[in-house]
């Protein structure tokens, strides 16, 4: 039986706006993260460090959107990736990124604030779909099934369809702020990778066995 095709997105659908408006940002970040060889401990470490740094900026606004607009809780992906890094022997503090601007708190109004939150949620929840694909290709592990909490997590994937519906229903007044924050979210993860590459890798002799 053929699969039911996904309904086409109307041009005014915020998801359509975000997909088109962030295409270059998304492709650039995918290429940069794709250079991390996840079958090696060093490559997986860099990949997780980049996400941990970027999440500092993106997760707070995405969490606000889920709570305020959908009444849903954000899984603690920051704790997941932090535990993974600790298990890999990464004890040095990560470089800090500030949270992305919350436009609603700057006097731009509730529409701009909610739009900013939507843009961050789109990037963060959408990124988990990509992580699932990477996981299917395999990644370094010390031989323990489900070693990486972050790579194995499926909780955010379950939020994708509710998010898609919410984006479809958001008024056009929120679109500009959403796109601005979505692009800034991709940039935060890109900056996270650049910062991760300046950090020394952990002493693998003192970390988990190969």
């Amino acid at each position: 039986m053929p699969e039911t095709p996904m309904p086409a997105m109307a041009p005014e659908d915020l998801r359509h706006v975000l997909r088109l408006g962030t295409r270059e940002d998304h492709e650039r970040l995918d290429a940069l993260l794709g250079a991390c060889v996840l079958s090696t401990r060093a490559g997986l470490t860099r990949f997780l460090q980049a996400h941990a740094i970027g999440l500092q900026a993106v997760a707070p606004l995405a969490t606000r959107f889920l709570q305020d607009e959908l009444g849903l809780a954000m899984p603690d992906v920051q704790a997941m990736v932090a535990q993974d890094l600790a298990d890999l022997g990464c004890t040095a503090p990560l470089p800090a990124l500030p949270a992305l601007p919350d436009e609603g708190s700057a006097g731009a109004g509730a529409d701009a604030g909610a739009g900013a939150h939507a843009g961050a949620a789109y990037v963060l929840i959408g990124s988990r779909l990509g992580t699932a694909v990477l996981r299917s290709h395999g990644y370094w592990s010390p031989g323990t099934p489900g070693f990486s909490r972050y790579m194995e997590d499926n909780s955010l994937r379950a939020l994708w369809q509710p998010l898609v519906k919410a984006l479809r229903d958001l008024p056009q007044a929120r679109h500009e702020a959403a796109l601005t924050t979505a692009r800034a979210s991709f940039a935060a993860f890109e900056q996270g990778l650049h910062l991760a590459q300046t950090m020394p890798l952990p002493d693998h002799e003192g970390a988990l066995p190969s």
Side-chain angles (χ1 to χ4, degrees):
M1 182 175 179
E3 294 184 2
T4 302
M6 289 289 290
M9 291 181 287
E12 64 273 13
D13 186 330
L14 179 52
R15 182 183 167 205
H16 178 82
V17 171
L18 293 172
R19 176 179 287 181
L20 291 183
T22 63
R23 178 175 292 167
E24 291 184 5
D25 307 88
H26 195 171
E27 289 176 351
R28 183 174 61 251
L29 180 61
D30 278 354
L32 290 168
L33 289 173
C36 297
V37 182
L38 299 187
S39 59
T40 67
R41 179 170 13 203
L44 179 63
T45 298
R46 289 296 188 222
F47 181 86
L48 293 174
Q49 286 173 330
H51 280 77
I53 296 169
L55 284 169
Q56 297 174 82
V58 179
L61 293 193
T63 298
R64 286 278 305 276
F65 185 79
L66 289 179
Q67 291 175 343
D68 296 350
E69 302 294 326
L70 302 180
L72 299 172
M74 168 69 77
D76 196 349
V77 289
Q78 289 179 277
M80 295 175 198
V81 72
Q83 186 60 60
D84 282 351
L85 289 171
D87 289 345
L88 285 164
C90 299
T91 57
L94 294 171
L97 287 184
L100 298 177
D102 184 339
E103 297 184 44
S105 66
D111 278 335
H117 305 161
Y122 170 81
V123 174
L124 178 51
I125 296 174
S127 74
R128 304 306 288 154
L129 306 180
T131 301
V133 174
L134 293 174
R135 179 181 68 209
S136 70
H137 295 159
Y139 61 91
W140 181 89
S141 156
T144 305
F147 160 69
S148 170
R149 296 161 180 81
Y150 187 69
M151 296 294 290
E152 297 295 326
D153 176 64
N154 282 322
S155 57
L156 275 179
R157 293 185 67 193
L159 300 174
W160 178 247
Q161 289 304 322
L163 174 66
V164 167
K165 181 181 184 304
L167 294 179
R168 187 168 58 242
D169 295 341
L170 281 180
Q172 199 159 0
R174 300 183 178 185
H175 288 194
E176 182 178 354
L179 178 57
T180 296
T181 302
R183 297 197 65 195
S185 298
F186 279 113
F189 284 110
E190 184 175 339
Q191 187 179 0
L193 179 59
H194 292 318
L195 289 171
Q197 289 169 336
T198 69
M199 301 180 65
L201 289 168
D203 177 8
H204 290 163
E205 293 300 320
L208 291 169
S210 298

